[in-house]
Amino acid sequence: MPAFRYQQGYVVEYSEADMAGTSYLDGDDNYGSQLEIYRRSWQEPEDVGLSDSLYGQLEN
């Protein structure tokens, strides 16, 4: 962590749950992109009742 992704015009950072819903401007002290980064929390599949399958898909 952190892990980033681009989704529908937004750069999203997966971070701790207490930071979800906030955003920050990526300044020169980080990567210097000057993009606004939106934070989300990451949930493990097991936390929402899913488990790994043999084929890489999640099952209930």
Side-chain angles (χ1 to χ4, degrees), residues 1-24 36-44:
M1 214 135 86
F4 297 89
R5 73 186 254 179
Y6 178 81
Q7 180 180 5
Q8 298 178 345
Y10 298 98
V11 178
V12 175
E13 173 186 7
Y14 290 99
S15 54
E16 292 79 19
D18 61 334
M19 299 179 84
T22 63
S23 64
Y24 66 95
E36 188 165 9
I37 311 294
Y38 297 90
R39 291 183 173 125
R40 290 185 181 167
S41 63
W42 177 262
Q43 290 185 310
E44 296 292 332

Side-chain angles (χ1 to χ4, degrees), residues 25-50:
L25 186 64
D26 178 38
D28 292 333
D29 55 337
N30 291 316
Y31 299 103
S33 69
Q34 304 304 317
L35 295 171
E36 188 165 9
I37 311 294
Y38 297 90
R39 291 183 173 125
R40 290 185 181 167
S41 63
W42 177 262
Q43 290 185 310
E44 296 292 332
E46 295 81 15
D47 294 343
V48 292
L50 301 174

